[in-house]
Amino acid sequence: MSDPTATSHQTATPPARGPAGSPPRVCEAALAEAARAVARVRRRGGRRSLLVGLALALAAFAVFAVSLSVGEMVIPVGDVLATLFGGGEPGSRFVILELRLPRALLAVLVGAGFGMAGGVFQTVLRNPLASPDIIGISSGASAAAVTASMVFAVSGLALSASALAGALVAGTLIYVLAWRKGVVGARLVLVGLGVGCGLNSLVWYLMSRAEVTGAQNALLWLTGSLNGRSWNQVWPQVTALAVLVPLTLVAARTLRALQLGDDTASGLGARAEQSRLALLACGVALAGVSTAAAGPVAFVAFVAAPVARMLLPGRGAVLPHAALAGALLVLLADLAAQHALPGTQLPVGVVTSVIGAPYLLWLLARANRVGRGG
């Protein structure tokens, strides 16, 4: 009688093996299949990222064209496009190119700057509240601009430069005060809130001592507005973003490693603290130049990045998409600010606050429900 165990050993087929010292071929096949699966997932993610980016860009361009079309003199969108590409009547060319185009372009540039800055801050600090308009960066720009305007009678580009300097000083102060052998997101947010409250107190003190005309001019630096903006504000913003956006994207190469924590990032070869400092510096500069161009347009940086991440879940910071979402948000808000109330042009910051304040309340309520509200 034959031994069944022996029969089993005789009929079982051993795994095929490759050359000497190499793993079995079955393992190689499994690894190859896993690599192909990862490649398929990456291709799908890349296609979705591209489609979402194109959709945001097309939506922003559509709103951009409508904002150039409507007003006291309504110009058909076809004529708007013809004028942008060199055609059009002389009258419509003046209205579009000299009166409406600078404002619409500045809305795109300011929104993109705030959106990318918000994406950097929220991702680096891993905190949805860590937005430059929440943690005091924009307050620093406002305080510097109001002080320069009311105390030193500064105006024009020098006033915008003062706002940028204020944002950089506020960002540096917040970072230094929050640093304890490194920066933790929650601590930096709390320090930023405190610094922002102090700077806002300074602004309101100066406002209380100002004449009515001076106080009205200073309101720009409290709410954010695109009213009366011209090419004089567009070109400095174009130049600043042409430098800062590439720098931010280069610095963001370590962002995925930083999202895994400092120890893991260090294990992967990234210099965690230096990379975080470089990214925060880029974020502060982006928020500073945007505030210098249009004032502290509230909640754009706070809302744009979560919108981009919601459209692309699991894709990390998606900074270009956050910039596009910010541009679309400011374009829509400015269109509403100009035409929602006939005969009245609201500051764009008022409209963005109407959008952003409910989102902040929802975020706080959600944090409390999941036990992260303190």
Side-chain angles (χ1 to χ4, degrees):
M1 188 175 185
S2 63
D3 183 2
T5 305
T7 304
S8 172
H9 282 296
Q10 290 169 359
T11 58
T13 303
R17 300 187 67 83
S22 65
R25 290 178 180 172
V26 65
C27 296
E28 292 178 353
L31 287 174
E33 180 58 31
R36 284 193 291 271
V38 170
R40 284 196 297 272
V41 171
R42 285 182 173 174
R43 282 196 295 271
R44 281 200 297 270
R47 283 196 295 270
R48 176 165 179 166
S49 178
L50 179 62
L51 289 175
V52 169
L54 286 175
L56 287 171
L58 287 174
F61 183 76
V63 180
F64 179 81
V66 171
S67 68
L68 296 180
S69 172
V70 299
E72 292 185 3
M73 176 182 174
V74 178
I75 302 173
V77 173
D79 292 348
V80 169
L81 297 178
T83 302
L84 291 178
F85 288 99
E89 299 293 331
S92 61
R93 287 180 59 83
F94 174 77
V95 172
I96 292 173
L97 299 181
E98 298 299 327
L99 300 181
R100 297 178 184 173
L101 185 58
R103 177 172 184 153
L105 277 179
L106 198 59
V108 172
L109 297 170
V110 167
F114 277 127
M116 184 168 281
V120 168
F121 272 89
Q122 291 172 347
T123 308
V124 171
L125 300 175
R126 289 181 287 175
N127 192 318
L129 292 175
S131 173
D133 50 344
I134 299 293
I135 64 173
I137 307 298
S138 297
S139 298
S142 298
V146 171
T147 303
S149 174
M150 292 188 172
V151 178
F152 301 103
V154 172
S155 62
L157 288 178
L159 187 58
S160 298
S162 302
L164 174 59
L168 295 176
V169 170
T172 303
L173 179 63
I174 293 167
Y175 186 86
V176 169
L177 292 177
W179 199 88
R180 294 288 185 278
K181 297 181 180 179
V183 171
V184 178
R187 186 166 61 230
L188 189 139
V189 171
L190 291 175
V191 171
L193 286 171
V195 171
C197 289
L199 293 170
N200 287 335
S201 299
L202 172 63
V203 171
W204 287 113
Y205 170 74
L206 293 174
M207 291 281 287
S208 68
R209 297 174 60 86
E211 300 293 336
V212 174
T213 304
Q216 287 179 340
N217 293 332
L219 279 176
L220 164 68
W221 301 104
L222 297 179
T223 58
S225 175
L226 294 170
N227 296 340
R229 288 319 203 216
S230 65
W231 291 107
N232 292 333
Q233 287 79 37
V234 172
W235 292 122
Q237 184 74 359
V238 169
T239 305
L241 292 189
V243 175
L244 291 174
V245 169
L247 284 178
T248 305
L249 294 179
V250 169
R253 289 183 300 177
T254 59
L255 205 49
R256 284 187 178 275
L258 290 177
Q259 287 179 284
L260 301 175
D262 287 3
D263 293 337
T264 305
S266 300
L268 293 173
R271 295 181 177 180
E273 197 58 38
Q274 291 89 336
S275 300
R276 185 184 297 112
L277 179 59
L279 282 163
L280 291 179
C282 290
V284 169
L286 284 168
V289 298
S290 299
T291 306
V297 185
F299 290 111
V300 177
F302 184 62
V303 172
V307 169
R309 289 196 295 271
M310 180 183 66
L311 295 173
L312 292 168
R315 297 289 296 175
V318 290
L319 297 182
H321 301 81
L324 288 171
L328 176 59
L329 177 60
V330 176
L331 278 169
L332 284 170
D334 190 49
L335 189 62
Q338 292 183 74
H339 306 295
L341 299 177
T344 302
Q345 290 201 0
L346 297 171
V348 66
V350 172
V351 181
T352 56
S353 297
V354 172
I355 298 171
Y359 173 71
L360 175 60
L361 295 175
W362 173 82
L363 189 66
L364 294 174
R366 181 172 177 271
N368 280 329
R369 280 202 303 273
V370 299
R372 292 188 289 111

